[in-house]
Structures are given as structure tokens and as C-alpha cells.
């Protein structure tokens, strides 16, 4: 197993994400303690739930807390900015300021505004829900037919491809996110080989535009028991000429910062990558894993 020392965790959430906790400085100290070279904080900027629930005609006093938790990302982002502007970073770690840009094409004006923010080092492009559908987290897959699940996944990969063609991000985050619930939580088998061609299209789009993909290691610690994307797709990305790969724990608290990062690096190495990347001002820097 590769040592975590000297690696970079490019995907974490702190208290400035509606579903996460802990002060950003606590994340940084955890990363420093682990010996990481660099740590990114990439709080949720979900474009389709940017404003408070009422803005979308939802009565938040009547809704379940879980159903409205991701609304009002704007407020969290603004609060985060005012704290992160003043953050004092220890000398021996690089702090990467980022955002996880969710569903940019579902509120493109907001996305365009966010990606022009000058303080950002890294933008992760994510799709947590298909257009006009709830987050994959909320869907009841045991009440769906296999044709319905297939349609969901067809739409998911199509919409990820569309997002990559738009390209307003640095790194495509956690490709295969719905599998975390479909395969992980609900134990429903999905034949990913059906999506190999569209994933190839996604990767080619990412590669031509000089972007990269993430190996998200959070799934190693829940029911999915795998990375997102899994090894087969990371290999496909490599075979198509992909060179830029980041690692992300997707930690939602300080205790989880760096979780799975050395296993992610090991996987990248097994797929033929000699380097992993981290970002400063939207430009990749590389760390050898040879
Ligand atoms: Zn995400
Ligand atoms: Zn995340």
C-alpha cells in the first residue's frame, strides 16, 4: 500500500456544506497530521438548490428536514467565503480552495457565476440528481422495475456527458455516483458494460478539454465497497489517453479527511498512472506515485 504521506485529498466538505460539519481549520490540521501534501475543501454549491426552499415553492416548515437539507447553498457558500478568506494555513501543507459544483446545467446562470470566482483553485463537476428528479440518495430502487433503473442510469450518463461538453469544471467528480445507492444500499446488480461506450465518450470529452477525473474513495467505506468510478472505468480512462487523475475522500467531517486516499493512489498505480494531480488556480500539479 502506498503511504498517504505526500499525497493530496482533493474533495472534502466542512461546515459550509449543508450536510457536513467541522471548521475548515480542523480539516487542515487533520490533513497535516496525516502528512498530506495538499488538502482541498470543496463545499457543495448545488446550482439547482442554490436558494432557500421557499424560492422553489417548497414550504420548509412542512417538509422533512432531510428533503430540504441541500437548499440554500448560496448562504453556506457566502459564510464559507468570509471564513476561508481569513484562514491561516500552516507552512507545511498546501490548501486548495475549491467547490463541488452540483448540477451546473440545471441552473446554468448560477453555475457560470460561480465558476468565475477568482479565489478558486479547483472546481469539481458533479451530478447528484437527474434533471427534474430528486438526488439519487432519495430514490426507492426496490420499488422500481429494472427498466426504470436502466432509464435512470441512461439519463444519468447522458447528462454527465452533457455536463462534460459544457466543461465549466476542472475535475469530473465521482462518475457512477448512483451506484452508491443502487448497488451499495439496495444491493441491485448493474451491468456497467452497457455504459462502456458512453463512459468512453465522457472520458474523451474530458481529455480533449484538458480536464481530469477523480477517484472518489468514499464508497470504500460504505455499502458500495468500491471506488467511484470503479477500477474498470479508471483503466478505460487511462487507455483512452487520460492523464489527469485526482483522489478525493469526500469526507463530510474532519475525522474522515484522507480516508481511502492511499488505496485510491494504489488503484491509480495499478491502472498505469505514474502521477496523481492536485490543483492551484485551475492548473494541475503532479505528485509521483511510481
Ligand atoms: Zn458529490
Ligand atoms: Zn462531495
Amino acid at each position: 500500500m502506498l503511504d498517504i504521506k505526500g499525497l493530496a485529498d482533493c474533495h472534502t466538505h466542512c461546515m459550509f456544506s449543508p450536510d457536513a460539519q467541522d471548521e475548515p481549520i480542523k480539516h487542515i490540521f487533520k490533513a497535516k497530521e496525516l502528512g498530506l501534501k495538499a488538502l482541498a475543501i470543496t463545499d457543495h454549491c448545488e446550482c439547482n438548490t442554490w436558494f432557500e426552499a421557499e424560492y422553489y415553492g417548497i414550504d420548509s416548515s412542512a417538509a422533512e428536514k432531510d428533503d430540504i437539507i441541500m437548499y440554500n447553498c448560496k448562504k453556506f457558500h457566502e459564510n464559507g467565503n468570509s471564513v476561508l478568506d481569513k484562514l491561516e494555513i500552516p507552512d507545511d501543507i498546501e490548501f486548495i480552495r475549491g467547490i463541488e459544483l452540483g448540477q451546473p446545467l440545471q441552473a446554468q446562470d448560477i453555475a457560470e457565476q460561480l465558476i468565475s470566482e477568482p479565489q478558486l483553485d479547483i472546481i469539481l463537476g458533479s451530478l447528484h440528481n437527474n434533471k427534474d428528479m430528486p438526488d439519487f440518495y432519495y430514490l426507492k430502487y426496490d420499488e422500481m422495475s429494472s427498466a426504470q433503473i436502466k432509464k435512470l442510469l441512461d439519463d444519468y450518463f447522458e447528462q454527465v456527458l452533457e455536463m462534460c461538453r459544457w466543461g465549466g469544471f476542472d475535475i469530473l467528480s465521482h462518475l457512477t455516483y448512483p451506484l452508491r445507492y443502487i448497488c451499495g444500499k439496495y444491493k441491485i446488480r448493474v451491468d456497467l458494460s452497457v455504459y462502456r461506450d458512453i463512459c468512453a465518450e465522457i472520458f474523451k470529452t474530458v481529455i480533449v478539454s484538458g480536464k481530469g477525473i477523480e477517484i472518489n474513495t468514499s464508497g470504500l467505506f460504505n455499502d458500495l465497497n468500491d471506488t467511484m468510478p470503479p477500477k474498470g472505468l479508471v483503466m478505460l480512462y487511462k487507455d483512452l489517453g487520460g492523464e489527469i487523475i485526482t483522489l478525493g475522500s469526500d469526507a463530510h467531517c474532519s475525522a474522515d479527511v484522507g480516508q481511502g486516499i492511499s488505496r485510491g493512489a494504489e488503484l491509480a498505480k495499478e491502472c498505469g498512472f505514474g502521477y496523481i494531480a492536485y490543483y492551484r488556480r485551475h492548473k494541475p500539479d503532479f505528485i509521483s506515485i511510481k
Side-chain angles (χ1 to χ4, degrees):
M1 179 89 73
L2 279 158
D3 196 338
I4 192 169
K5 286 196 172 61
L7 297 178
D9 185 348
C10 286
H11 186 160
T12 70
H13 300 272
C14 73
M15 61 191 282
F16 301 118
S17 285
D19 61 346
Q21 50 192 306
D22 292 328
E23 300 267 356
I25 197 69
K26 212 174 152 194
H27 280 36
I28 291 166
F29 281 119
K30 176 65 197 267
K32 189 175 133 78
E33 183 191 309
L34 292 169
L36 287 175
K37 178 181 175 61
L39 172 78
I41 294 183
T42 53
D43 281 310
H44 283 294
C45 286
E46 305 295 294
C47 298
N48 57 327
T49 52
W50 189 238
F51 303 106
E52 51 203 8
E54 277 69 18
Y55 175 89
Y56 302 93
I58 297 161
D59 177 3
S60 59
S61 62
E64 294 282 338
K65 189 174 178 282
D66 240 20
D67 294 339
I68 54 156
I69 194 168
M70 294 309 286
Y71 286 90
N72 215 2
C73 280
K74 179 176 192 277
K75 186 75 185 293
F76 280 85
H77 181 61
E78 286 167 358
N79 291 344
N81 275 345
S82 61
V83 171
L84 294 172
D85 284 343
K86 290 180 243 136
L87 207 58
E88 286 180 29
I89 311 296
D91 287 339
D92 45 357
I93 186 151
E94 290 189 55
F95 174 60
I96 303 163
R97 191 150 160 188
I99 55 171
E100 181 176 10
L101 188 70
Q103 303 75 247
L105 297 185
Q106 294 175 29
Q108 207 175 327
D109 50 335
I110 291 159
E112 302 283 354
Q113 210 178 307
L114 280 162
I115 64 175
S116 67
E117 290 190 347
Q119 76 276 19
L120 296 176
D121 291 307
I122 188 169
I123 298 170
L124 307 178
S126 291
L127 191 73
H128 299 119
N129 66 273
N130 288 347
K131 192 167 185 301
D132 301 323
M133 293 284 288
D135 191 309
F136 288 101
Y137 169 83
Y138 295 112
L139 300 177
K140 304 263 181 289
Y141 302 96
D142 52 351
E143 293 167 10
M144 286 182 197
S145 66
S146 48
Q148 283 171 316
I149 293 177
K150 174 153 190 315
K151 169 85 171 77
L152 263 182
L153 285 169
D154 289 351
D155 291 348
Y156 168 76
F157 285 108
E158 274 303 332
Q159 291 177 30
V160 170
L161 177 57
E162 231 179 289
M163 182 176 82
C164 293
R165 285 182 176 142
W166 169 70
F169 57 84
D170 302 300
I171 289 290
L172 173 62
S173 185
H174 56 50
L175 181 67
T176 67
Y177 170 74
L179 301 190
R180 177 167 170 178
Y181 307 107
I182 301 173
C183 305
K185 193 168 167 205
Y186 284 81
K187 306 283 171 228
I188 296 166
R189 243 197 114 251
V190 169
D191 178 12
L192 260 189
S193 68
V194 179
Y195 301 104
R196 209 173 154 82
D197 287 350
I198 188 146
C199 285
E201 212 46 58
I202 289 169
F203 291 149
K204 284 185 212 160
T205 309
V206 164
I207 293 164
V208 190
S209 52
K211 320 279 182 200
I213 71 160
E214 167 191 81
I215 297 177
N216 186 298
T217 59
S218 66
L220 293 170
F221 305 93
N222 59 37
D223 297 331
L224 181 62
N225 197 23
D226 203 350
T227 55
M228 296 178 288
K231 188 176 182 181
L233 288 180
V234 178
M235 285 184 111
L236 175 63
Y237 172 67
K238 175 73 181 149
D239 290 346
L240 291 169
E243 288 177 355
I244 302 175
I245 201 140
T246 61
L247 308 174
S249 67
D250 213 345
H252 278 61
C253 62
S254 300
D256 291 348
V257 166
Q259 194 166 243
I261 292 303
S262 50
R263 281 172 71 186
E266 196 65 49
L267 188 147
K269 195 175 167 178
E270 286 164 14
C271 294
F273 289 91
Y275 300 86
I276 56 139
Y278 68 103
Y279 275 72
R280 308 302 318 230
R281 297 290 188 237
H282 308 291
K283 298 250 180 320
D285 264 332
F286 294 92
I287 296 171
S288 174
I289 50 169
K290 279 172 189 161

PDB file of all heavy atoms in Angstrom, residues 144-174:
ATOM      1  N   MET A 144     -38.765   0.034  -7.993  1.00  0.00           N
ATOM      2  CA  MET A 144     -38.624   0.312  -9.431  1.00  0.00           C
ATOM      3  C   MET A 144     -38.394  -0.981 -10.206  1.00  0.00           C
ATOM      4  O   MET A 144     -37.789  -1.917  -9.684  1.00  0.00           O
ATOM      5  CB  MET A 144     -37.403   1.208  -9.665  1.00  0.00           C
ATOM      6  CG  MET A 144     -37.600   2.623  -9.249  1.00  0.00           C
ATOM      7  SD  MET A 144     -36.090   3.540  -9.652  1.00  0.00           S
ATOM      8  CE  MET A 144     -36.357   4.953  -8.628  1.00  0.00           C
ATOM      9  N   SER A 145     -38.854  -0.974 -11.466  1.00  0.00           N
ATOM     10  CA  SER A 145     -38.565  -2.112 -12.342  1.00  0.00           C
ATOM     11  C   SER A 145     -37.135  -1.951 -12.860  1.00  0.00           C
ATOM     12  O   SER A 145     -36.556  -0.861 -12.785  1.00  0.00           O
ATOM     13  CB  SER A 145     -39.541  -2.124 -13.516  1.00  0.00           C
ATOM     14  OG  SER A 145     -39.311  -0.979 -14.329  1.00  0.00           O
ATOM     15  N   SER A 146     -36.589  -3.037 -13.393  1.00  0.00           N
ATOM     16  CA  SER A 146     -35.218  -2.924 -13.919  1.00  0.00           C
ATOM     17  C   SER A 146     -35.177  -1.968 -15.108  1.00  0.00           C
ATOM     18  O   SER A 146     -34.175  -1.288 -15.333  1.00  0.00           O
ATOM     19  CB  SER A 146     -34.634  -4.287 -14.262  1.00  0.00           C
ATOM     20  OG  SER A 146     -35.546  -5.027 -15.003  1.00  0.00           O
ATOM     21  N   ALA A 147     -36.290  -1.884 -15.859  1.00  0.00           N
ATOM     22  CA  ALA A 147     -36.337  -0.944 -16.985  1.00  0.00           C
ATOM     23  C   ALA A 147     -36.283   0.502 -16.478  1.00  0.00           C
ATOM     24  O   ALA A 147     -35.641   1.369 -17.085  1.00  0.00           O
ATOM     25  CB  ALA A 147     -37.600  -1.167 -17.801  1.00  0.00           C
ATOM     26  N   GLN A 148     -36.935   0.754 -15.352  1.00  0.00           N
ATOM     27  CA  GLN A 148     -36.909   2.115 -14.777  1.00  0.00           C
ATOM     28  C   GLN A 148     -35.508   2.478 -14.277  1.00  0.00           C
ATOM     29  O   GLN A 148     -35.048   3.605 -14.457  1.00  0.00           O
ATOM     30  CB  GLN A 148     -37.916   2.219 -13.625  1.00  0.00           C
ATOM     31  CG  GLN A 148     -39.353   2.357 -14.104  1.00  0.00           C
ATOM     32  CD  GLN A 148     -40.359   2.240 -12.965  1.00  0.00           C
ATOM     33  OE1 GLN A 148     -40.238   1.371 -12.101  1.00  0.00           O
ATOM     34  NE2 GLN A 148     -41.356   3.114 -12.968  1.00  0.00           N
ATOM     35  N   ILE A 149     -34.849   1.503 -13.668  1.00  0.00           N
ATOM     36  CA  ILE A 149     -33.484   1.751 -13.193  1.00  0.00           C
ATOM     37  C   ILE A 149     -32.552   1.988 -14.381  1.00  0.00           C
ATOM     38  O   ILE A 149     -31.707   2.881 -14.355  1.00  0.00           O
ATOM     39  CB  ILE A 149     -32.986   0.593 -12.290  1.00  0.00           C
ATOM     40  CG1 ILE A 149     -33.810   0.596 -10.995  1.00  0.00           C
ATOM     41  CG2 ILE A 149     -31.499   0.716 -11.992  1.00  0.00           C
ATOM     42  CD1 ILE A 149     -33.497  -0.507 -10.022  1.00  0.00           C
ATOM     43  N   LYS A 150     -32.774   1.195 -15.435  1.00  0.00           N
ATOM     44  CA  LYS A 150     -31.942   1.372 -16.632  1.00  0.00           C
ATOM     45  C   LYS A 150     -32.138   2.776 -17.225  1.00  0.00           C
ATOM     46  O   LYS A 150     -31.179   3.453 -17.589  1.00  0.00           O
ATOM     47  CB  LYS A 150     -32.263   0.299 -17.675  1.00  0.00           C
ATOM     48  CG  LYS A 150     -31.518   0.544 -18.963  1.00  0.00           C
ATOM     49  CD  LYS A 150     -31.252  -0.678 -19.779  1.00  0.00           C
ATOM     50  CE  LYS A 150     -30.289  -0.396 -20.920  1.00  0.00           C
ATOM     51  NZ  LYS A 150     -30.546   0.826 -21.679  1.00  0.00           N
ATOM     52  N   LYS A 151     -33.393   3.226 -17.260  1.00  0.00           N
ATOM     53  CA  LYS A 151     -33.696   4.563 -17.794  1.00  0.00           C
ATOM     54  C   LYS A 151     -32.989   5.647 -16.959  1.00  0.00           C
ATOM     55  O   LYS A 151     -32.418   6.592 -17.504  1.00  0.00           O
ATOM     56  CB  LYS A 151     -35.226   4.755 -17.798  1.00  0.00           C
ATOM     57  CG  LYS A 151     -35.717   6.172 -18.071  1.00  0.00           C
ATOM     58  CD  LYS A 151     -35.809   6.451 -19.570  1.00  0.00           C
ATOM     59  CE  LYS A 151     -36.493   7.752 -19.924  1.00  0.00           C
ATOM     60  NZ  LYS A 151     -35.689   8.940 -19.729  1.00  0.00           N
ATOM     61  N   LEU A 152     -33.059   5.469 -15.638  1.00  0.00           N
ATOM     62  CA  LEU A 152     -32.384   6.418 -14.729  1.00  0.00           C
ATOM     63  C   LEU A 152     -30.900   6.524 -15.046  1.00  0.00           C
ATOM     64  O   LEU A 152     -30.333   7.616 -15.116  1.00  0.00           O
ATOM     65  CB  LEU A 152     -32.480   5.903 -13.295  1.00  0.00           C
ATOM     66  CG  LEU A 152     -33.538   6.407 -12.365  1.00  0.00           C
ATOM     67  CD1 LEU A 152     -33.353   5.738 -11.002  1.00  0.00           C
ATOM     68  CD2 LEU A 152     -33.440   7.933 -12.204  1.00  0.00           C
ATOM     69  N   LEU A 153     -30.262   5.351 -15.210  1.00  0.00           N
ATOM     70  CA  LEU A 153     -28.825   5.331 -15.467  1.00  0.00           C
ATOM     71  C   LEU A 153     -28.500   5.840 -16.869  1.00  0.00           C
ATOM     72  O   LEU A 153     -27.508   6.558 -17.052  1.00  0.00           O
ATOM     73  CB  LEU A 153     -28.263   3.923 -15.252  1.00  0.00           C
ATOM     74  CG  LEU A 153     -28.130   3.535 -13.772  1.00  0.00           C
ATOM     75  CD1 LEU A 153     -27.822   2.052 -13.620  1.00  0.00           C
ATOM     76  CD2 LEU A 153     -27.059   4.365 -13.074  1.00  0.00           C
ATOM     77  N   ASP A 154     -29.351   5.485 -17.848  1.00  0.00           N
ATOM     78  CA  ASP A 154     -29.160   6.025 -19.207  1.00  0.00           C
ATOM     79  C   ASP A 154     -29.152   7.548 -19.145  1.00  0.00           C
ATOM     80  O   ASP A 154     -28.272   8.216 -19.711  1.00  0.00           O
ATOM     81  CB  ASP A 154     -30.297   5.594 -20.153  1.00  0.00           C
ATOM     82  CG  ASP A 154     -30.232   4.108 -20.510  1.00  0.00           C
ATOM     83  OD1 ASP A 154     -29.222   3.461 -20.173  1.00  0.00           O
ATOM     84  OD2 ASP A 154     -31.204   3.606 -21.114  1.00  0.00           O
ATOM     85  N   ASP A 155     -30.148   8.096 -18.446  1.00  0.00           N
ATOM     86  CA  ASP A 155     -30.262   9.563 -18.336  1.00  0.00           C
ATOM     87  C   ASP A 155     -29.068  10.148 -17.581  1.00  0.00           C
ATOM     88  O   ASP A 155     -28.540  11.193 -17.947  1.00  0.00           O
ATOM     89  CB  ASP A 155     -31.557   9.954 -17.598  1.00  0.00           C
ATOM     90  CG  ASP A 155     -32.791   9.635 -18.419  1.00  0.00           C
ATOM     91  OD1 ASP A 155     -32.646   9.330 -19.621  1.00  0.00           O
ATOM     92  OD2 ASP A 155     -33.908   9.683 -17.857  1.00  0.00           O
ATOM     93  N   TYR A 156     -28.662   9.459 -16.506  1.00  0.00           N
ATOM     94  CA  TYR A 156     -27.527   9.932 -15.716  1.00  0.00           C
ATOM     95  C   TYR A 156     -26.280  10.094 -16.599  1.00  0.00           C
ATOM     96  O   TYR A 156     -25.670  11.166 -16.630  1.00  0.00           O
ATOM     97  CB  TYR A 156     -27.244   8.965 -14.549  1.00  0.00           C
ATOM     98  CG  TYR A 156     -25.918   9.232 -13.866  1.00  0.00           C
ATOM     99  CD1 TYR A 156     -25.758  10.308 -12.998  1.00  0.00           C
ATOM    100  CD2 TYR A 156     -24.803   8.431 -14.123  1.00  0.00           C
ATOM    101  CE1 TYR A 156     -24.531  10.566 -12.395  1.00  0.00           C
ATOM    102  CE2 TYR A 156     -23.585   8.671 -13.526  1.00  0.00           C
ATOM    103  CZ  TYR A 156     -23.445   9.746 -12.665  1.00  0.00           C
ATOM    104  OH  TYR A 156     -22.220  10.000 -12.080  1.00  0.00           O
ATOM    105  N   PHE A 157     -25.912   9.032 -17.316  1.00  0.00           N
ATOM    106  CA  PHE A 157     -24.684   9.107 -18.116  1.00  0.00           C
ATOM    107  C   PHE A 157     -24.812  10.141 -19.237  1.00  0.00           C
ATOM    108  O   PHE A 157     -23.869  10.859 -19.536  1.00  0.00           O
ATOM    109  CB  PHE A 157     -24.305   7.721 -18.659  1.00  0.00           C
ATOM    110  CG  PHE A 157     -23.727   6.816 -17.595  1.00  0.00           C
ATOM    111  CD1 PHE A 157     -24.440   5.740 -17.099  1.00  0.00           C
ATOM    112  CD2 PHE A 157     -22.455   7.060 -17.069  1.00  0.00           C
ATOM    113  CE1 PHE A 157     -23.906   4.908 -16.108  1.00  0.00           C
ATOM    114  CE2 PHE A 157     -21.912   6.236 -16.077  1.00  0.00           C
ATOM    115  CZ  PHE A 157     -22.637   5.161 -15.600  1.00  0.00           C
ATOM    116  N   GLU A 158     -26.015  10.237 -19.848  1.00  0.00           N
ATOM    117  CA  GLU A 158     -26.249  11.256 -20.883  1.00  0.00           C
ATOM    118  C   GLU A 158     -26.031  12.666 -20.308  1.00  0.00           C
ATOM    119  O   GLU A 158     -25.421  13.519 -20.944  1.00  0.00           O
ATOM    120  CB  GLU A 158     -27.693  11.167 -21.406  1.00  0.00           C
ATOM    121  CG  GLU A 158     -27.919  10.178 -22.527  1.00  0.00           C
ATOM    122  CD  GLU A 158     -27.043  10.423 -23.750  1.00  0.00           C
ATOM    123  OE1 GLU A 158     -26.655  11.578 -23.999  1.00  0.00           O
ATOM    124  OE2 GLU A 158     -26.741   9.422 -24.436  1.00  0.00           O
ATOM    125  N   GLN A 159     -26.573  12.883 -19.110  1.00  0.00           N
ATOM    126  CA  GLN A 159     -26.493  14.224 -18.506  1.00  0.00           C
ATOM    127  C   GLN A 159     -25.073  14.541 -18.028  1.00  0.00           C
ATOM    128  O   GLN A 159     -24.651  15.695 -18.042  1.00  0.00           O
ATOM    129  CB  GLN A 159     -27.535  14.371 -17.400  1.00  0.00           C
ATOM    130  CG  GLN A 159     -28.950  14.403 -18.000  1.00  0.00           C
ATOM    131  CD  GLN A 159     -30.068  14.468 -16.965  1.00  0.00           C
ATOM    132  OE1 GLN A 159     -29.912  15.014 -15.883  1.00  0.00           O
ATOM    133  NE2 GLN A 159     -31.214  13.911 -17.313  1.00  0.00           N
ATOM    134  N   VAL A 160     -24.331  13.500 -17.605  1.00  0.00           N
ATOM    135  CA  VAL A 160     -22.915  13.716 -17.263  1.00  0.00           C
ATOM    136  C   VAL A 160     -22.153  14.116 -18.533  1.00  0.00           C
ATOM    137  O   VAL A 160     -21.336  15.043 -18.515  1.00  0.00           O
ATOM    138  CB  VAL A 160     -22.276  12.465 -16.610  1.00  0.00           C
ATOM    139  CG1 VAL A 160     -20.755  12.626 -16.495  1.00  0.00           C
ATOM    140  CG2 VAL A 160     -22.871  12.210 -15.227  1.00  0.00           C
ATOM    141  N   LEU A 161     -22.453  13.425 -19.633  1.00  0.00           N
ATOM    142  CA  LEU A 161     -21.782  13.753 -20.897  1.00  0.00           C
ATOM    143  C   LEU A 161     -22.068  15.207 -21.299  1.00  0.00           C
ATOM    144  O   LEU A 161     -21.154  15.945 -21.686  1.00  0.00           O
ATOM    145  CB  LEU A 161     -22.224  12.772 -21.996  1.00  0.00           C
ATOM    146  CG  LEU A 161     -21.654  13.034 -23.399  1.00  0.00           C
ATOM    147  CD1 LEU A 161     -20.132  13.035 -23.400  1.00  0.00           C
ATOM    148  CD2 LEU A 161     -22.174  11.984 -24.395  1.00  0.00           C
ATOM    149  N   GLU A 162     -23.310  15.584 -21.169  1.00  0.00           N
ATOM    150  CA  GLU A 162     -23.709  16.967 -21.478  1.00  0.00           C
ATOM    151  C   GLU A 162     -22.925  17.970 -20.613  1.00  0.00           C
ATOM    152  O   GLU A 162     -22.451  19.000 -21.093  1.00  0.00           O
ATOM    153  CB  GLU A 162     -25.189  17.108 -21.134  1.00  0.00           C
ATOM    154  CG  GLU A 162     -26.073  17.699 -22.210  1.00  0.00           C
ATOM    155  CD  GLU A 162     -27.508  17.732 -21.686  1.00  0.00           C
ATOM    156  OE1 GLU A 162     -28.118  16.643 -21.571  1.00  0.00           O
ATOM    157  OE2 GLU A 162     -27.977  18.827 -21.360  1.00  0.00           O
ATOM    158  N   MET A 163     -22.802  17.633 -19.325  1.00  0.00           N
ATOM    159  CA  MET A 163     -22.063  18.491 -18.395  1.00  0.00           C
ATOM    160  C   MET A 163     -20.587  18.585 -18.814  1.00  0.00           C
ATOM    161  O   MET A 163     -19.982  19.656 -18.755  1.00  0.00           O
ATOM    162  CB  MET A 163     -22.193  17.900 -16.980  1.00  0.00           C
ATOM    163  CG  MET A 163     -21.526  18.696 -15.897  1.00  0.00           C
ATOM    164  SD  MET A 163     -21.829  17.976 -14.249  1.00  0.00           S
ATOM    165  CE  MET A 163     -20.590  16.686 -14.213  1.00  0.00           C
ATOM    166  N   CYS A 164     -20.037  17.474 -19.278  1.00  0.00           N
ATOM    167  CA  CYS A 164     -18.627  17.480 -19.713  1.00  0.00           C
ATOM    168  C   CYS A 164     -18.451  18.294 -20.992  1.00  0.00           C
ATOM    169  O   CYS A 164     -17.435  18.946 -21.183  1.00  0.00           O
ATOM    170  CB  CYS A 164     -18.121  16.057 -19.910  1.00  0.00           C
ATOM    171  SG  CYS A 164     -18.018  15.159 -18.354  1.00  0.00           S
ATOM    172  N   ARG A 165     -19.454  18.247 -21.858  1.00  0.00           N
ATOM    173  CA  ARG A 165     -19.385  19.059 -23.085  1.00  0.00           C
ATOM    174  C   ARG A 165     -19.426  20.541 -22.750  1.00  0.00           C
ATOM    175  O   ARG A 165     -18.786  21.361 -23.394  1.00  0.00           O
ATOM    176  CB  ARG A 165     -20.526  18.685 -24.039  1.00  0.00           C
ATOM    177  CG  ARG A 165     -20.260  17.356 -24.709  1.00  0.00           C
ATOM    178  CD  ARG A 165     -21.354  16.978 -25.701  1.00  0.00           C
ATOM    179  NE  ARG A 165     -21.005  15.743 -26.378  1.00  0.00           N
ATOM    180  CZ  ARG A 165     -21.857  14.788 -26.704  1.00  0.00           C
ATOM    181  NH1 ARG A 165     -23.141  14.931 -26.436  1.00  0.00           N
ATOM    182  NH2 ARG A 165     -21.438  13.701 -27.316  1.00  0.00           N
ATOM    183  N   TRP A 166     -20.174  20.891 -21.710  1.00  0.00           N
ATOM    184  CA  TRP A 166     -20.201  22.286 -21.216  1.00  0.00           C
ATOM    185  C   TRP A 166     -18.832  22.628 -20.638  1.00  0.00           C
ATOM    186  O   TRP A 166     -18.246  23.662 -20.957  1.00  0.00           O
ATOM    187  CB  TRP A 166     -21.329  22.427 -20.179  1.00  0.00           C
ATOM    188  CG  TRP A 166     -21.314  23.706 -19.419  1.00  0.00           C
ATOM    189  CD1 TRP A 166     -21.610  24.956 -19.896  1.00  0.00           C
ATOM    190  CD2 TRP A 166     -20.982  23.883 -18.030  1.00  0.00           C
ATOM    191  NE1 TRP A 166     -21.485  25.886 -18.892  1.00  0.00           N
ATOM    192  CE2 TRP A 166     -21.109  25.257 -17.746  1.00  0.00           C
ATOM    193  CE3 TRP A 166     -20.598  23.021 -17.006  1.00  0.00           C
ATOM    194  CZ2 TRP A 166     -20.853  25.781 -16.472  1.00  0.00           C
ATOM    195  CZ3 TRP A 166     -20.348  23.522 -15.746  1.00  0.00           C
ATOM    196  CH2 TRP A 166     -20.480  24.897 -15.491  1.00  0.00           C
ATOM    197  N   GLY A 167     -18.330  21.757 -19.738  1.00  0.00           N
ATOM    198  CA  GLY A 167     -16.935  21.828 -19.322  1.00  0.00           C
ATOM    199  C   GLY A 167     -16.515  22.892 -18.317  1.00  0.00           C
ATOM    200  O   GLY A 167     -15.327  23.174 -18.196  1.00  0.00           O
ATOM    201  N   GLY A 168     -17.438  23.476 -17.573  1.00  0.00           N
ATOM    202  CA  GLY A 168     -17.060  24.533 -16.636  1.00  0.00           C
ATOM    203  C   GLY A 168     -16.510  24.028 -15.306  1.00  0.00           C
ATOM    204  O   GLY A 168     -16.890  24.525 -14.248  1.00  0.00           O
ATOM    205  N   PHE A 169     -15.636  23.042 -15.354  1.00  0.00           N
ATOM    206  CA  PHE A 169     -15.045  22.495 -14.121  1.00  0.00           C
ATOM    207  C   PHE A 169     -13.659  21.966 -14.460  1.00  0.00           C
ATOM    208  O   PHE A 169     -13.276  21.903 -15.632  1.00  0.00           O
ATOM    209  CB  PHE A 169     -15.934  21.391 -13.537  1.00  0.00           C
ATOM    210  CG  PHE A 169     -16.217  20.256 -14.486  1.00  0.00           C
ATOM    211  CD1 PHE A 169     -15.325  19.207 -14.624  1.00  0.00           C
ATOM    212  CD2 PHE A 169     -17.364  20.260 -15.284  1.00  0.00           C
ATOM    213  CE1 PHE A 169     -15.561  18.183 -15.530  1.00  0.00           C
ATOM    214  CE2 PHE A 169     -17.611  19.237 -16.195  1.00  0.00           C
ATOM    215  CZ  PHE A 169     -16.707  18.197 -16.313  1.00  0.00           C
ATOM    216  N   ASP A 170     -12.902  21.586 -13.418  1.00  0.00           N
ATOM    217  CA  ASP A 170     -11.556  21.042 -13.629  1.00  0.00           C
ATOM    218  C   ASP A 170     -11.556  19.520 -13.618  1.00  0.00           C
ATOM    219  O   ASP A 170     -10.818  18.883 -14.360  1.00  0.00           O
ATOM    220  CB  ASP A 170     -10.605  21.545 -12.528  1.00  0.00           C
ATOM    221  CG  ASP A 170     -10.543  23.061 -12.504  1.00  0.00           C
ATOM    222  OD1 ASP A 170     -10.155  23.651 -13.536  1.00  0.00           O
ATOM    223  OD2 ASP A 170     -10.927  23.668 -11.473  1.00  0.00           O
ATOM    224  N   ILE A 171     -12.381  18.954 -12.709  1.00  0.00           N
ATOM    225  CA  ILE A 171     -12.343  17.507 -12.461  1.00  0.00           C
ATOM    226  C   ILE A 171     -13.769  16.954 -12.453  1.00  0.00           C
ATOM    227  O   ILE A 171     -14.641  17.484 -11.766  1.00  0.00           O
ATOM    228  CB  ILE A 171     -11.669  17.236 -11.083  1.00  0.00           C
ATOM    229  CG1 ILE A 171     -10.176  17.530 -11.135  1.00  0.00           C
ATOM    230  CG2 ILE A 171     -11.918  15.800 -10.608  1.00  0.00           C
ATOM    231  CD1 ILE A 171      -9.345  16.553 -11.971  1.00  0.00           C
ATOM    232  N   LEU A 172     -13.972  15.890 -13.208  1.00  0.00           N
ATOM    233  CA  LEU A 172     -15.258  15.196 -13.156  1.00  0.00           C
ATOM    234  C   LEU A 172     -15.278  14.332 -11.896  1.00  0.00           C
ATOM    235  O   LEU A 172     -14.466  13.426 -11.738  1.00  0.00           O
ATOM    236  CB  LEU A 172     -15.437  14.323 -14.405  1.00  0.00           C
ATOM    237  CG  LEU A 172     -16.669  13.402 -14.389  1.00  0.00           C
ATOM    238  CD1 LEU A 172     -17.966  14.209 -14.303  1.00  0.00           C
ATOM    239  CD2 LEU A 172     -16.676  12.487 -15.603  1.00  0.00           C
ATOM    240  N   SER A 173     -16.204  14.668 -11.008  1.00  0.00           N
ATOM    241  CA  SER A 173     -16.241  14.021  -9.699  1.00  0.00           C
ATOM    242  C   SER A 173     -17.133  12.767  -9.709  1.00  0.00           C
ATOM    243  O   SER A 173     -18.142  12.720 -10.409  1.00  0.00           O
ATOM    244  CB  SER A 173     -16.781  15.027  -8.682  1.00  0.00           C
ATOM    245  OG  SER A 173     -16.729  14.500  -7.384  1.00  0.00           O
ATOM    246  N   HIS A 174     -16.746  11.813  -8.913  1.00  0.00           N
ATOM    247  CA  HIS A 174     -17.469  10.552  -8.653  1.00  0.00           C
ATOM    248  C   HIS A 174     -18.408  10.072  -9.759  1.00  0.00           C
ATOM    249  O   HIS A 174     -19.602   9.875  -9.529  1.00  0.00           O
ATOM    250  CB  HIS A 174     -18.187  10.574  -7.304  1.00  0.00           C
ATOM    251  CG  HIS A 174     -19.162  11.690  -7.040  1.00  0.00           C
ATOM    252  ND1 HIS A 174     -20.166  12.048  -7.908  1.00  0.00           N
ATOM    253  CD2 HIS A 174     -19.297  12.522  -5.969  1.00  0.00           C
ATOM    254  CE1 HIS A 174     -20.872  13.032  -7.395  1.00  0.00           C
ATOM    255  NE2 HIS A 174     -20.354  13.355  -6.215  1.00  0.00           N
TER     256      HIS A 174
END
